Amino acid sequence: MTAQFPAVRPRRLRRSPAMRRMVAGTRLHPADLVLPMFVKEGVDEPQPIGSMPGVFQHTRDSLRKAAHEAAEAGVGGLILFGIPAVKDARGSAADDPEGIVQKAVADLVSDLGDQVVVMTDTCLDEFTDHGHCGVLTPDGEVDNDATLERYAAAAVAQARAGSQVIAPSGMMDGQVGAIRAALDGAGFAHIPIMAYSVKYASAFYGPFRDAAECAPKFGDRNAYQQDPAGPVGEALREVRLDLAEGADAVMVKPALAYLDILRQVRDAVDVPVAAYQVSGEYAMIEAAAANGWVDRDRAIMESLVAIRRAGADTILTYWATEVARRLR
Ligand code: PBG
């Protein structure tokens, strides 16, 4: 009686690094990575962010240096967030031509605008004193339609300063259409919109709110960002609306907890799909690695491969420069 040995042996293709490399189905490339960056007005030194080791609130100078390093490593894009010295109820610094984002984006475009795509996040939360993503009604609700006018003004100010992609992240209804019309009207019909179409009200944004100093002073964002347990069709609906309003690319955010949604979006559309590996995803791996509980480099690469495999063409990640270097 001879033993029944398996005729089919999947392990044959896993035996050596060269074999595994040849048959790999998911590859990362530096140009697929986008680095989110923070620039703070009125500081002389870059400020470390406690909950995001290795990430800084940059000065205009240190931002230029870090952007150079990212471009040198071959990352595809940079996305800029600004922290103004003065905040008010309407987020005036968001569309001030002298505002910190406008100044910093002009620096980056003049330094690097033909080597790397320089994008701007368009929202109000970094600029409002109450920390919400829009202007408020007298009873403290976010006023959707009044906010659209502010987003439109901010997007035009960013485009005037040189931003090469406008990325609205505030989850107001109609934001893509309002921004598209304003950009077209101001002579920026050639500037694409990468819409944060699918954005959940996530606990994983915690560290970002330290980085951008934008935690809401009261309440939460549940009345505008999506409920993690919300109707499954909602994500595709948001994507379809944004495309109808003129979005050129769409985004899913966060990434790792929403890979199912990312895959559905990827299968449903014919535009580029981005995924944002957010601050909390970064912080979790950094914290576990700092304790010696996970292998940092492997955990980073595995998380990025998963996001890519789920369908992301572009990945926004705070590890963009480091990973781009490793991929070269
Ligand atoms: C809103 C915005 C947020 C992030 C990107 N754009 C914060 C929020 O919605 O509270 C989060 C990014 C991250 O956590 O890394 N302007």
Side-chain angles (χ1 to χ4, degrees):
M1 201 64 188
T2 51
Q4 280 279 303
F5 290 111
V8 180
R9 294 179 182 269
R11 287 185 56 193
R12 287 176 193 132
L13 296 181
R14 299 180 199 140
R15 283 192 61 229
S16 70
M19 189 71 82
R20 292 193 293 272
R21 185 165 61 111
M22 187 185 76
V23 302
T26 303
R27 293 183 204 281
L28 295 167
H29 189 278
D32 303 329
L33 305 176
V34 169
L35 177 66
M37 306 185 84
F38 303 100
V39 60
K40 181 167 170 147
E41 190 170 40
V43 290
D44 300 328
E45 293 291 326
Q47 312 286 308
I49 300 158
S51 51
M52 299 181 76
V55 180
F56 294 86
Q57 295 176 323
H58 283 290
T59 68
R60 275 174 71 187
D61 280 344
S62 71
L63 183 82
R64 292 173 98 138
K65 188 161 171 284
H68 263 285
E69 289 166 6
E72 199 66 28
V75 307
L78 311 171
I79 183 164
L80 196 57
F81 296 88
I83 305 109
V86 179
K87 305 190 183 209
D88 62 17
R90 62 191 289 281
S92 300
D95 60 321
D96 180 348
E98 299 298 309
I100 182 65
V101 170
Q102 281 66 254
K103 285 183 165 165
V105 87
D107 291 341
L108 298 187
V109 169
S110 83
D111 289 358
L112 302 165
D114 48 1
Q115 290 171 58
V116 71
V117 179
V118 181
M119 321 200 247
T120 44
D121 180 272
T122 306
C123 196
L124 286 185
D125 57 332
E126 299 106 270
F127 305 100
T128 54
D129 51 11
H130 47 72
H132 278 287
C133 296
V135 293
L136 304 179
T137 62
D139 33 328
E141 279 193 53
V142 174
D143 183 339
N144 191 90
D145 299 6
T147 299
L148 296 183
E149 293 174 30
R150 299 292 302 127
Y151 287 177
V156 168
Q158 292 171 352
R160 282 207 177 103
S163 178
Q164 296 169 333
V165 175
I166 300 298
S169 68
M171 292 304 281
M172 295 301 122
D173 293 336
Q175 64 185 12
V176 172
I179 288 172
R180 186 69 273 161
L183 289 173
D184 292 357
F188 297 106
H190 56 289
I191 297 295
I193 296 176
M194 182 175 73
Y196 289 70
S197 301
V198 182
K199 181 173 177 184
Y200 287 92
S202 175
F204 296 109
Y205 306 151
F208 175 93
R209 293 177 186 173
D210 297 337
E213 301 177 16
C214 67
K217 294 272 157 40
F218 63 90
D220 53 40
R221 306 206 202 289
N222 296 348
Y224 40 105
Q225 298 178 347
Q226 290 169 235
D227 182 353
V232 176
E234 186 180 24
L236 292 179
R237 186 161 190 245
E238 288 282 2
V239 165
R240 276 194 295 270
L241 287 169
D242 282 357
L243 291 175
E245 291 174 30
D248 300 281
V250 297
M251 199 196 296
V252 173
K253 177 185 172 188
L256 221 44
Y258 299 90
L259 295 180
D260 56 330
I261 302 291
L262 179 57
R263 168 47 60 190
Q264 289 185 49
V265 170
R266 170 67 291 164
D267 289 344
V269 304
D270 53 11
V271 295
V273 177
Y276 197 143
Q277 182 178 53
V278 301
S279 57
E281 300 178 59
Y282 177 91
M284 283 195 298
I285 291 180
E286 289 289 350
N291 278 290
W293 296 337
V294 297
D295 177 327
R296 179 179 179 278
D297 293 0
R298 288 184 58 205
I300 291 171
M301 295 312 275
E302 187 173 334
S303 67
L304 292 170
V305 163
I307 294 164
R308 184 107 175 90
R309 196 180 59 234
D313 301 297
T314 302
I315 305 175
L316 287 73
T317 174
Y318 298 96
W319 289 301
T321 303
E322 174 183 333
V323 170
R325 283 188 186 132
R326 201 180 306 159
L327 291 171
R328 294 195 118 190

